[in-house]
Amino acid sequence: MSTSVTADVVLHRGRITTLDRGKPVASAVAIKDGKFLAVGEEADIMALAGAGTRVIDLRGRAVLPGLFDNHTHVVRGGLNYNMELRWDGVRSLADAMEMLKRQVAITPAPQWVRVVGGFTEHQFVEKRLPTIAEINAIAPDTPVFLLHLYDRALLNAAALRAVGYTKDTPEPPGGEITRDARGNPNGLLLAKPNAAILYATLAKGPALPFDYQVNSTRHFMRELNRLGVTGVIDAGGGFQNYPDDYAVIQQLADEGQMTVRLAYNLFTQKPKQEKEDFLKWTSSVTYKQGDDYFRHNGAGEMLVFSAADFEDFRQPRPDMPPEMEGELEEVVRILAQNHWPWRLHATYDETISRALDVFEKVNQDIPLTGINWFFDHAETISDQSIDRIAALGGGIAVQHRMAYQGEYFVERYGAVAAEATPPVARMLEKGVKVSAGTDATRVASYNPWVSLSWMVTGKTVGGLNLYPQHNLLDRETALRMWTENVAWFSNEEGRRGRIEVGQFADLLVPSKDYFSVPEDEISFLTSDLTMVGGRVVYGAGDFAALDDNPLPPAMPDWSPTRTFKGYGAWGEPDGAGKHSLAPMRAQAIGSCGCARACGLHGHDHARAWASNVPVSDFKGFFGALGCSCWMV
């Protein structure tokens, strides 16, 4: 190996999973100009270190390529992150309500307290949402808006007053303002089936000033870095306007403060004006304009409103209107003529098959070869549709929405129908381009480890087993879904996704070894060291002193981010987060106050009681084996 080039950074004494099939493991890497210069063994890599090289001792720790979310909403999420109380990962409603009570106490008028998605009632041990009466008791005067997935929102009396919903407010199209016997709104808003009323109501709340939004976006990116996320594809979003709402990210990119690489898709904003949007954008925006930290990635996920089948499984599947094909064709022709990739939100196969009719028709006139277009979500896609996508050279971006909505899907369609929602293993078997993401921040959490856990275990965050073994992924395949596979969806194959010479120097050191932790611990992983382009954007534990990304405190000073930080209320490990930051089994062991340890299980009585045994008398079974868990 030539030593004529000196590395900027060397990491050594590690156990590095490269995902490069030609060199799957390494112990050291060298980085130069934000890319991997060399990947290999200690002696060879250390030869590239000079007097000015930063040398990081990995101390035998495992290393993975940086995680890359194929579908999230960081632009919108960043503008609001510091205003939102996150219930993501909180395991009990009692803890969540205590967080709400504390936040209400410090939130000044006229600000709201907002809990905006990322959680489901099934994650709580109580298996329910709070009642509006419970919220009113905590917050008689401060507006509280609580968004649960995209199926409902709860507003207390103060929030109803703030948004002006009264007896005379008309019913919104596609939604419902539920009312009491006298016709007055009672605080429950329902998507039936689309989320427009939820979006529109949330948009009535106060916004942060621009400099606070800059601070908020930096804190959101920092939270993603804490979880090992180094890149995202932003799928646009309702009430997210281009270019106005992208000014914050643009400023951060101009100032070199991006700690998450962001490729963005442009999402049409107004029904019946979609063609005009894309004619304007394709004439004013160049595909891939920007740089490796912030750049354009095509169109969608909303191309035309008539093709949007919202994923509220509490409601019947919506039929798309007859004008869908004509409106979609107009937009797709514009995109294909300009060689712009697109992504299309599609939950149900009925929508996908109709959209494919359009894509195949356009392909006859304008070949789609080389345009990296894809469907998002695809929970009920059929084998036939997968084959049609593959034949047209498209892809499928899946997200872990079923980890949050699986119980509702099973309730409506049955457990058998849920066994392949979506059929990820089948997609991979058929050779279609497929990758993974979250669809954060509203319909699911931004935590990538929840997605990885869902693909490996098949379980919802509420513990429901959704999938048979044949639709589960092994850990390496799941990891590839979050790394190298995503690169096709941003048209960056060969540039990112692996720890390989010439690729972006994006990596993480997980808090525990992803490949060896028990399955029920995957969703609790974080990162102790995250690097983007060779820069340490997050450091904790043994690597805290290496952190190159100090942030000012979250703004405003009443921000929930100051207290609770993020997922699982990790900012308060001994307070609000105490029941949420470790697997339930570990919590049970740690909190066991009994005087008698079992000779077989120690204090891990939870494992014994949770075991599946072929008898009706659990205590007799364990006692017969000499297990004394039954005695505690």
Side-chain angles (χ1 to χ4, degrees), residues 510-573:
S511 52
K512 295 182 179 180
D513 187 347
Y514 164 71
F515 287 104
S516 63
V517 295
E519 283 188 350
D520 68 352
E521 293 189 28
I522 292 174
S523 68
F524 294 89
L525 294 175
T526 59
S527 175
D528 281 352
L529 178 75
T530 304
M531 300 186 78
V532 178
R535 175 189 174 200
V536 178
V537 296
Y538 181 80
D542 292 341
F543 305 105
L546 302 177
D547 198 329
D548 294 328
N549 184 32
L551 293 190
M555 299 164 64
D557 57 7
W558 50 265
S559 169
T561 304
R562 287 204 177 193
T563 304
F564 304 113
K565 300 297 186 185
Y567 187 89
W570 69 267
E572 286 201 332

Side-chain angles (χ1 to χ4, degrees), residues 55-225:
V55 178
I56 297 175
D57 185 350
L58 293 168
R59 307 182 187 190
R61 295 283 295 274
V63 180
L64 304 174
L67 302 179
F68 184 11
D69 193 328
N70 75 11
H71 181 136
T72 188
H73 298 275
V74 168
V75 174
R76 180 182 67 197
L79 300 180
N80 300 291
Y81 182 73
N82 281 357
M83 288 195 294
E84 296 176 354
L85 179 68
R86 305 305 308 178
W87 283 1
D88 301 44
V90 176
R91 294 304 173 116
S92 93
L93 179 60
D95 288 339
M97 292 298 281
E98 177 63 21
M99 293 168 66
L100 180 64
K101 181 178 180 179
R102 290 169 58 192
Q103 187 58 43
V104 165
I106 64 170
T107 301
Q111 295 292 337
W112 300 8
V113 177
R114 311 167 207 222
V115 182
V116 184
F119 76 100
T120 172
E121 61 183 326
H122 296 289
Q123 75 193 39
F124 298 141
V125 294
E126 298 91 340
K127 301 297 181 183
R128 71 174 181 90
L129 293 175
T131 65
I132 294 170
E134 289 169 332
I135 300 172
N136 278 325
I138 285 175
D141 302 310
T142 303
V144 174
F145 179 98
L146 190 155
L147 177 69
H148 182 256
L149 308 174
Y150 274 151
D151 64 48
R152 63 196 53 216
L154 304 180
L155 282 70
N156 67 345
L160 284 174
R161 293 192 296 270
V163 300
Y165 291 169
T166 68
K167 185 175 183 179
D168 299 323
T169 302
E171 286 299 289
E176 180 183 346
I177 301 172
T178 63
R179 302 169 192 269
D180 62 21
R182 295 183 176 182
N184 295 306
N186 63 14
L188 174 62
L189 308 181
L190 296 176
K192 283 194 166 184
N194 74 62
I197 181 61
L198 312 182
Y199 274 135
T201 305
L202 180 58
K204 293 176 182 287
L208 291 174
F210 185 85
D211 57 334
Y212 285 33
Q213 290 177 334
V214 172
N215 175 280
S216 178
T217 301
R218 291 189 68 194
H219 276 273
F220 186 27
M221 290 193 295
R222 171 81 169 181
E223 169 72 350
L224 295 175
N225 296 150

Side-chain angles (χ1 to χ4, degrees), residues 27-40:
S27 63
V29 298
I31 297 167
K32 178 74 172 177
D33 297 330
K35 296 181 179 180
F36 291 115
L37 172 66
V39 179

Side-chain angles (χ1 to χ4, degrees), residues 148-345:
H148 182 256
L149 308 174
Y150 274 151
D151 64 48
R152 63 196 53 216
L154 304 180
L155 282 70
N156 67 345
L160 284 174
R161 293 192 296 270
V163 300
Y165 291 169
T166 68
K167 185 175 183 179
D168 299 323
T169 302
E171 286 299 289
E176 180 183 346
I177 301 172
T178 63
R179 302 169 192 269
D180 62 21
R182 295 183 176 182
N184 295 306
N186 63 14
L188 174 62
L189 308 181
L190 296 176
K192 283 194 166 184
N194 74 62
I197 181 61
L198 312 182
Y199 274 135
T201 305
L202 180 58
K204 293 176 182 287
L208 291 174
F210 185 85
D211 57 334
Y212 285 33
Q213 290 177 334
V214 172
N215 175 280
S216 178
T217 301
R218 291 189 68 194
H219 276 273
F220 186 27
M221 290 193 295
R222 171 81 169 181
E223 169 72 350
L224 295 175
N225 296 150
R226 184 185 72 88
L227 296 167
V229 176
T230 60
V232 301
I233 306 177
D234 189 287
F239 291 85
Q240 179 176 316
N241 294 294
Y242 181 84
D244 297 352
D245 290 328
Y246 292 70
V248 166
I249 290 283
Q250 186 64 64
Q251 177 171 309
L252 291 172
D254 292 344
E255 295 176 353
Q257 293 185 338
M258 295 290 290
T259 64
V260 173
R261 301 182 192 274
L262 189 150
Y264 62 91
N265 286 74
L266 293 180
F267 179 115
T268 191
Q269 288 297 306
K270 295 180 181 178
K272 309 304 179 184
Q273 295 184 28
E274 300 97 336
K275 180 179 178 181
E276 289 71 21
D277 273 344
F278 289 111
L279 282 171
K280 177 179 66 177
W281 288 336
T282 52
S283 64
S284 62
V285 178
T286 302
Y287 171 52
K288 298 185 78 170
Q289 73 178 33
D291 59 25
D292 293 333
Y293 285 86
F294 178 50
R295 67 168 183 79
H296 175 246
N297 195 57
E301 63 181 301
M302 183 81 82
L303 296 180
V304 293
F305 280 78
S306 56
D309 63 349
F310 293 94
E311 71 292 340
D312 181 1
F313 297 128
R314 285 181 157 178
Q315 298 292 327
R317 178 185 63 82
D319 283 317
M320 298 298 95
E323 64 267 23
M324 168 186 156
E325 282 84 352
E327 293 180 353
L328 184 59
E329 182 181 342
E330 285 189 328
V331 168
V332 170
R333 283 190 180 278
I334 293 167
L335 300 174
Q337 287 165 355
N338 287 276
H339 216 71
W340 270 35
W342 66 85
R343 62 193 309 159
L344 180 64
H345 167 111

